[in-house]
Amino acid sequence: MKEIFKPMSPGQVRLLPGMFQQRFDLNRRYLLSLRSENLLQNHYLEAGLWGPRTRPEDCHWGWESPTCQVRGQFLGHWLSAAARIYASTGDPELKGKADWIVSELARCQQENGGEWAGSIPEKYLDWVARGKQVWAPHYVLHKTLMGLYDMFAYAGNEQALDIMVRWARWFHRWTGQFSREQMDDILDVETGGMLEAWANLYGVTGKQEHLDLVYRYDRPRLFERLLAGEDPLTNRHANTTIPEAHGAARAYEVTGEERWRRIVEAYWRCAVTDRGFFCTGGQTTGEVWTPPFEFAARLGDKNQEHCVVYNMMRLADYLLRWTGDVTYADYIERNLYNGILAQQHPETGMVAYFLPLQAGAKKIWGTPTNDFWCCHGTLVQAHTLHNAYVYYQDDEGLVVCQYIPTTLEWQWDNVPVKVKQTFDSEASTSQPREPDGAVHRPQRWVVELSVHCERPTTFTLKLRLPWWISGPVHALVNGEPTTVSAGPSGYHEIRRTWQADTVRLVLPKSLSTCPLPDEPETVAFMDGPVVLAGLCDEERTLYGDRERPETILAPDNEREWWFWRPGYRARGQERGLRFLPLYEIRDERYTVYFPIRPK
């Protein structure tokens, strides 16, 4: 299998000061704040190594409660997040904590007879096999398998791989007793990313028993309908199926079988291309897929489950790597700002399970130890990936897909190359340069990349031109303009011999409106890729030309000391109304979509 874009390893890309590093650091502090014994409490309980404490405050509760059927799922997310942070930063504190947790999982596995390493009993799977109702045991077990694999793949922990291999023996024996039809019945109960876990394991070991598990965890009842061009997703639980698409993606990567790739491509068409999405990039309400391009009746208090945002971004990354198609990078950016950032509290670091899009909405934040929803788990993983989607390598050189302050250490033709990306936007939290002597908040993003090679080397630098650019793009190399022939959702390519050079990219932006496809007079306002939220607790009609949003909104409170602020206010309306980026909303009531009427 050939990738058009090859990702960088986590340790090659470091975040620089700015909003993304702040969110990353907030997430790291939360991971370290959780006691290891509490993270392990349900694995200890299953292995007979722990009993409930008398003080409730000493335990993890919510979905981690010892009485909950999905108990223990969070630990896998925690391990994956810790492994990724270690791979990115070499963090010794998190590495030591995570290694000790893995050693305790090995102790639990030994107490359970040498194979089973789950936080729930094996009989939960037997219940599913005989049709007894139980809440998603495969989903829970996958999280631990995922965490173990990531500890091996990103943190070099061989014991984690050994636990996974021993546990796979149990699954191979258990699944071997069922026919294909029986397995299909079993897998109709949420399977999470089990297919991806076995594909990951097979990719490491190459063993037939692990390939057997890949084929046994195939999902023909879903996948064959997708391949036939049907829509099996509308009104179906979204995050039940996205991890299965991840599994097909990894199965393609480790086997090279084209059927798996066709499944992933068909899934994307059904979920995104032929369905559309809200202004935020999300596509769900009440955890289920919306009907294609019919969103007006789906604005509510349970839009955009965080797990769906995170997992669809991961799926987009698979497809971006395989194809190099810039639209997948555009999709990642839209969801990054209006999902991942918007659903993490910028002070507490906690998650909003949903991102409501109804009028007068309010985000509901989780707590550090009393909820542990599924979205709590994807939250801690999501904020370890801010360096993951920025740079790729193709056959011609380096591709920059996201604009996030970072450094990259890379090699081209065995020549060490260092790239530093800095980025000024209206929401800059560090002192910006004033582009072109701007007096008022500049309507542009300014990206600067410094490229330093140990000796002169020739390659092509490709810079993504986002979908939202609103005018001519200016690109300069060492102060000299270059011709930009590509437009929105394209790449500007600069091929030259590099050594000590600076590239300056000016991306013009403007206000735009994003209408509901089935109710085009109702729109959301966007500033570049960022959704704006009106600070009001009711549905409110605005008056003006929805094709010219700059006649409806004007900059508000634009400057504070040395940085630009991103607010707007409605003008020419009966009542005042302020707007902020959706990712800055904390506990305020807000509205995203507004009916627009001509004056």
Side-chain angles (χ1 to χ4, degrees):
M1 188 222 108
K2 177 175 172 57
E3 292 179 317
I4 302 299
F5 287 179
K6 297 178 182 178
M8 302 297 171
S9 65
Q12 290 179 270
V13 184
R14 294 291 184 104
L15 295 172
L16 291 174
M19 176 171 60
F20 290 96
Q21 188 188 59
Q22 290 169 357
R23 298 297 186 96
F24 177 94
D25 290 344
L26 190 62
N27 190 53
R28 176 188 176 274
R29 287 196 296 272
Y30 174 62
L31 291 172
L32 284 170
S33 74
L34 298 173
R35 295 180 65 244
S36 300
E37 293 82 357
N38 286 356
L39 290 165
L40 285 157
Q41 67 185 36
N42 293 299
H43 288 84
Y44 283 159
L45 184 63
E46 184 59 25
L49 297 172
W50 180 84
R53 294 180 173 89
T54 56
R55 296 187 303 166
E57 63 269 19
D58 286 341
C59 298
H60 286 172
W61 295 100
W63 288 21
E64 288 298 295
S65 165
T67 60
C68 180
Q69 287 187 336
V70 294
R71 60 188 178 271
Q73 53 90 27
F74 181 75
L75 177 60
H77 291 287
W78 189 97
L79 285 172
S80 293
R84 178 79 195 192
I85 290 176
Y86 171 73
S88 297
T89 67
D91 189 319
E93 188 174 9
L94 263 178
K95 177 68 159 62
K97 185 179 178 79
D99 283 344
W100 184 81
I101 287 173
V102 169
S103 72
E104 289 298 279
L105 287 175
R107 185 161 73 104
C108 291
Q109 184 177 53
Q110 190 60 38
E111 288 294 321
N112 287 324
E115 292 181 342
W116 187 259
S119 56
I120 55 176
E122 300 98 313
K123 67 181 178 182
Y124 278 16
L125 291 179
D126 293 331
W127 288 357
V128 170
R130 73 172 197 248
K132 181 176 179 178
Q133 186 173 359
V134 59
W135 187 6
H138 269 123
Y139 160 84
V140 177
L141 301 172
H142 158 251
K143 301 311 175 190
T144 307
L145 287 164
M146 170 189 69
L148 290 167
Y149 175 79
D150 287 343
M151 280 298 296
F152 166 73
Y154 290 116
N157 188 306
E158 295 284 345
Q159 188 176 35
L161 179 64
D162 180 66
I163 296 169
M164 197 176 179
V165 168
R166 290 172 181 270
W167 201 2
R169 295 172 191 159
W170 186 95
F171 281 98
H172 191 268
R173 185 171 61 253
W174 182 77
T175 56
Q177 65 187 301
F178 301 114
S179 67
R180 179 71 260 175
E181 183 176 2
Q182 289 173 317
M183 275 302 295
D184 288 343
D185 289 339
I186 290 168
L187 299 182
D188 279 342
V189 179
E190 184 173 358
T191 63
M194 292 296 289
L195 174 57
E196 185 180 27
W198 301 135
N200 281 333
L201 185 58
Y202 173 68
V204 174
T205 69
K207 291 184 177 180
Q208 182 62 45
E209 65 189 274
H210 302 148
L211 185 60
D212 291 344
L213 286 168
V214 170
Y215 292 125
R216 290 174 188 178
Y217 278 83
D218 189 1
R219 291 285 284 123
R221 287 181 182 170
L222 171 65
F223 294 162
E224 295 308 313
R225 291 186 64 192
L226 288 166
L227 291 173
E230 299 177 27
D231 175 9
L233 299 184
T234 295
N235 290 328
R236 184 169 184 166
H237 188 273
N239 202 52
T240 298
T241 58
I242 306 168
E244 293 170 339
H246 292 164
R250 273 303 280 155
Y252 168 62
E253 291 186 339
V254 299
T255 69
E257 295 177 19
E258 286 295 322
R259 172 181 173 267
W260 296 114
R261 175 168 178 157
R262 288 188 288 109
I263 289 166
V264 178
E265 292 169 339
Y267 190 96
W268 187 268
R269 282 195 301 272
C270 187
V272 181
T273 308
D274 297 340
R275 188 171 307 274
F277 42 76
F278 292 108
C279 59
T280 58
Q283 290 119 321
T284 59
T285 182
E287 301 194 20
V288 304
W289 292 109
T290 56
F293 302 106
E294 295 183 24
F295 297 162
R298 298 295 176 104
L299 300 177
D301 63 339
K302 294 181 176 63
N303 291 116
Q304 193 163 303
E305 182 188 2
H306 183 277
C307 288
V308 173
V309 176
Y310 168 76
N311 281 322
M312 287 301 292
M313 287 173 64
R314 285 194 61 218
L315 194 63
D317 182 61
Y318 275 115
L319 289 161
L320 175 63
R321 290 189 281 106
W322 297 349
T323 67
D325 188 336
V326 70
T327 59
Y328 297 115
D330 283 342
Y331 179 90
I332 288 170
E333 179 187 61
R334 185 189 289 258
N335 282 271
L336 177 60
Y337 279 95
N338 306 305
I340 300 303
L341 293 180
Q343 290 178 252
Q344 184 201 35
H345 194 290
E347 289 184 350
T348 69
M350 291 297 98
V351 71
Y353 193 132
F354 299 108
L355 186 66
L357 294 177
Q358 66 182 10
K362 189 176 184 352
K363 299 177 186 178
I364 305 299
W365 302 106
T367 60
T369 59
N370 287 320
D371 295 300
F372 293 109
W373 306 312
C374 54
C375 296
H376 213 115
T378 52
L379 167 91
V380 298
Q381 287 187 263
H383 290 279
T384 69
L385 295 176
H386 296 323
N387 63 341
Y389 304 135
V390 181
Y391 305 103
Y392 298 82
Q393 176 180 314
D394 68 2
D395 289 341
E396 297 178 317
L398 181 65
V399 187
V400 182
C401 283
Q402 301 298 332
Y403 298 114
I404 294 174
T406 43
T407 60
L408 167 68
E409 295 191 359
W410 176 57
Q411 283 201 350
W412 182 255
D413 283 345
N414 296 317
V415 177
V417 179
K418 292 184 178 180
V419 178
K420 180 179 180 181
Q421 179 186 157
T422 56
F423 164 48
D424 287 342
S425 75
E426 294 175 358
S428 176
T429 56
S430 60
Q431 185 168 351
R433 290 170 295 278
E434 308 292 352
D436 303 328
V439 174
H440 292 289
R441 184 171 62 198
Q443 289 293 299
R444 70 201 76 186
W445 282 8
V446 179
V447 181
E448 287 201 357
L449 295 114
S450 63
V451 181
H452 292 272
C453 309
E454 280 198 2
R455 60 181 182 273
T457 184
T458 301
F459 60 86
T460 300
L461 176 66
K462 294 180 181 176
L463 305 170
R464 180 177 66 96
L465 302 183
W467 64 272
W468 46 262
I469 55 176
S470 60
V473 173
H474 298 286
L476 301 92
V477 179
N478 301 327
E480 295 295 322
T482 66
T483 301
V484 180
S485 55
S489 294
Y491 293 105
H492 175 51
E493 300 186 12
I494 305 171
R495 185 166 184 83
R496 61 180 281 118
T497 299
W498 304 87
Q499 185 166 21
D501 303 284
T502 300
V503 177
R504 180 178 174 89
L505 186 69
V506 181
L507 301 171
K509 67 180 179 66
S510 63
L511 288 171
S512 64
T513 55
C514 184
L516 290 171
D518 51 335
E519 196 174 287
E521 68 277 9
T522 301
V523 307
F525 294 97
M526 300 191 70
D527 188 6
V530 176
V531 171
L532 298 173
L535 301 180
C536 61
D537 60 1
E538 61 184 357
E539 180 175 293
R540 191 180 298 185
T541 298
L542 299 179
Y543 296 90
D545 183 354
R546 66 175 181 269
E547 301 299 326
R548 299 176 61 214
E550 70 278 4
T551 66
I552 302 174
L553 300 188
D556 180 60
N557 190 23
E558 69 174 9
R559 185 77 178 188
E560 183 173 301
W561 295 306
W562 54 85
F563 59 89
W564 298 109
R565 294 180 58 85
Y568 286 85
R569 59 178 172 82
R571 59 183 175 184
Q573 307 299 318
E574 294 178 355
R575 288 184 288 168
L577 179 60
R578 261 61 185 179
F579 286 79
L580 288 174
L582 185 56
Y583 66 73
E584 287 200 357
I585 300 297
R586 303 177 188 188
D587 300 314
E588 305 93 333
R589 292 279 179 181
Y590 65 91
T591 298
V592 167
Y593 281 99
F594 294 84
I596 307 294
R597 302 285 184 265
K599 284 190 175 181

